[in-house]
Amino acid sequence: MTPSTGIAARVGIALDGGRSYDILIGAGLLGDAAAFEGLPRASGALIVSNTEVAPRYADALARTLRTRYARVEVLALPDGEQHKDWAGLNRIFDALLGGGFDRKTLLFALGGGVVGDLTGFAAACYMRGVPFVQVPTTLLAQVDSSVGGKTAVNHPLGKNMIGAFYQPLRVIADLAMLDSLPPREVSAGLAEVIKYGPIADDAFLAWIEANLDALRARDRAALVHAVRRSCEIKAEVVGQDEREAGLRAILNFGHTFGHAIETGLGYGEWLHGEAVGCGMVMAAELSVRLGLVPAAYAARLKALIGRAGLPVVGPRLGAARYLELMRHDKKAEGGEIRFVVIESPGRAGLRAAPDALVAQVIEDCCR
Ligand code: NAD
Ligand code: GLY
């Protein structure tokens, strides 16, 4: 690993209404007061984390926050996607109300996408809105879920179905925390990194192909580049279409199939990133069958996704079940499923496709 300390990169996300914010990227930021400079005064800070992450990192964050805030407390939620639900959300409200936290409270989401999505949604709702900061601890959260203000809980009938758009004040991505991430979670994060190549930046896809081994080994210089470029692309898209009127949907490449896998198997069975990785294989295959990209391009993506340690063959839920689940997708309109497809290398779009064609893709990509 290449050692580096401090803020190595800063990516701005431009939004109107004074809601622009920075994503700070570097190693050792939890203990770096500079990363917290400029955050507002608050009556208290609640660090929302989980039972896996809090024992490793909550003390370090709390120590830094205590130099700014008189009251700093930690809430450790149960770990896992299956807890990204109403009960999980209520645990945060219980801690806030039970602890007498007022509307000048600042929340810190210290964890992966599950903690980030739950904490962001709690911040959007508590006393009709309190500010929050994202401190993402997984690669997936650093390159995707902590950025852009989508917050949600799952419903048994569909992923992320109940939620709100609510932006954080800042994202502080400390790469040193990735050292303790299990390899399977690194692979899951790589799915969302890879996603940015086909949808927005063909040169980035080639860079990932050349640097995949370094990324899997958590080389710091490689991680800085991957997290920064991913955040730049996401910031650019969200800056143009914060509430997903159109363009932002491209960030969901692979997610329509992927969410069906997650819901169909039961939350937590496959990791979100694994389902997205396999979903991208299926969405690329659909793009080929719609005549948009050559088969060699889909094969190239599939090879990279496999090299990243992700599944490239989907679970056999049956085409009818996939289609039923995908009709619940938020991009569906009037019961018609709309897929993010690759229109040309580095450019994505949204298209409907005949059920029979989609069913054929599912049959050929699952076993
Ligand atoms: P996660 O939050 O479940 O974290 C993965 C696992 O790693 C958990 O067991 C967690 O406790 C553990 N962990 C986290 N940080 C660690 C660390 N530094 N060291 C050791 N273990 C650590 O999963 P995730 O992949 O981060 O996020 C997936 C979630 O994000 C899904 O719910 C998905 O829907 C959501 N998501 C949201 C958006 C968005 O825009 N809001 C985008 C993508 C994904
Ligand atoms: N992860 C998809 C989005 O933020 O829009």
Side-chain angles (χ1 to χ4, degrees), residues 351-364:
R351 303 232 178 160
D355 279 2
L357 185 69
V358 176
Q360 199 54 59
V361 168
I362 292 165
E363 290 303 329
D364 293 347

Side-chain angles (χ1 to χ4, degrees), residues 165-248:
F165 286 99
Y166 193 69
Q167 299 292 345
L169 292 181
R170 185 172 298 174
V171 179
I172 300 171
D174 185 341
L175 303 175
M177 292 192 287
L178 302 183
D179 288 351
S180 58
L181 207 55
R184 189 179 167 198
E185 298 290 350
V186 174
S187 292
L190 285 171
E192 301 280 16
V193 177
I194 291 169
K195 169 186 83 177
Y196 292 109
I199 65 166
D201 186 349
D202 201 37
F204 186 46
L205 183 65
W207 181 89
I208 299 166
E209 287 173 321
N211 290 277
L212 189 71
D213 295 341
L215 289 170
R216 292 192 76 180
R218 298 165 223 213
D219 174 87
R220 286 270 167 80
L223 283 171
V224 168
H225 182 74
V227 176
R228 177 176 50 201
R229 187 67 196 122
S230 299
C231 289
E232 281 170 354
I233 293 169
K234 183 151 188 185
E236 175 70 28
V237 171
V238 172
Q240 288 181 52
D241 179 20
E242 183 184 1
R243 289 183 166 246
E244 202 166 312
L247 176 71
R248 184 168 178 167

Side-chain angles (χ1 to χ4, degrees), residues 48-345:
V48 181
S49 189
N50 71 22
T51 51
E52 187 64 38
V53 176
R56 298 176 197 273
Y57 301 114
D59 276 354
L61 177 57
R63 250 194 317 278
T64 307
L65 294 181
R66 286 195 180 104
T67 63
R68 300 184 62 84
Y69 305 110
R71 181 183 183 196
V72 178
E73 292 187 17
V74 179
L75 169 67
L77 300 171
D79 185 21
E81 182 75 37
Q82 65 276 26
H83 297 292
K84 193 175 125 177
D85 59 6
W86 278 113
L89 192 64
N90 261 325
R91 284 189 171 95
I92 304 177
F93 297 140
D94 290 347
L96 286 166
L97 287 166
F101 283 94
D102 64 20
R103 66 196 316 180
K104 295 285 178 205
T105 300
L106 185 52
L107 298 187
F108 287 82
L110 176 69
V114 168
V115 165
D117 282 10
L118 273 168
T119 309
F121 193 23
C125 301
Y126 188 62
M127 297 198 176
R128 300 200 180 93
V130 294
F132 84 114
V133 174
Q134 289 272 16
V135 188
T137 65
T138 63
L139 179 59
L140 185 140
Q142 295 188 351
V143 300
D144 191 354
S145 64
S146 65
V147 175
K150 279 189 180 176
T151 75
V153 295
N154 299 326
H155 187 279
L157 291 179
K159 271 280 290 178
N160 295 332
M161 281 296 160
I162 320 292
F165 286 99
Y166 193 69
Q167 299 292 345
L169 292 181
R170 185 172 298 174
V171 179
I172 300 171
D174 185 341
L175 303 175
M177 292 192 287
L178 302 183
D179 288 351
S180 58
L181 207 55
R184 189 179 167 198
E185 298 290 350
V186 174
S187 292
L190 285 171
E192 301 280 16
V193 177
I194 291 169
K195 169 186 83 177
Y196 292 109
I199 65 166
D201 186 349
D202 201 37
F204 186 46
L205 183 65
W207 181 89
I208 299 166
E209 287 173 321
N211 290 277
L212 189 71
D213 295 341
L215 289 170
R216 292 192 76 180
R218 298 165 223 213
D219 174 87
R220 286 270 167 80
L223 283 171
V224 168
H225 182 74
V227 176
R228 177 176 50 201
R229 187 67 196 122
S230 299
C231 289
E232 281 170 354
I233 293 169
K234 183 151 188 185
E236 175 70 28
V237 171
V238 172
Q240 288 181 52
D241 179 20
E242 183 184 1
R243 289 183 166 246
E244 202 166 312
L247 176 71
R248 184 168 178 167
I250 65 168
L251 297 173
N252 268 316
F253 177 54
H255 287 59
T256 307
F257 291 105
H259 284 167
I261 292 171
E262 285 186 272
T263 309
L265 290 177
Y267 300 126
E269 194 61 37
W270 277 30
L271 301 180
H272 175 72
E274 292 171 339
V276 168
C278 189
M280 288 193 290
V281 172
M282 296 164 87
E285 188 55 38
L286 180 62
S287 309
V288 172
R289 299 203 189 180
L290 287 169
L292 300 169
V293 287
Y297 185 75
R300 176 184 169 195
L301 267 187
K302 184 174 176 179
L304 179 61
I305 291 164
R307 271 182 66 211
L310 294 159
V312 293
V313 176
R316 239 185 141 62
L317 306 173
R321 177 72 175 133
Y322 269 97
L323 286 163
E324 179 194 351
L325 288 163
M326 292 192 297
R327 281 189 224 291
H328 284 293
D329 188 85
K330 288 190 287 308
K331 291 182 295 304
E333 278 182 8
E336 184 179 70
I337 310 164
R338 294 181 315 145
F339 296 89
V340 181
V341 291
I342 303 307
E343 295 189 328
S344 61

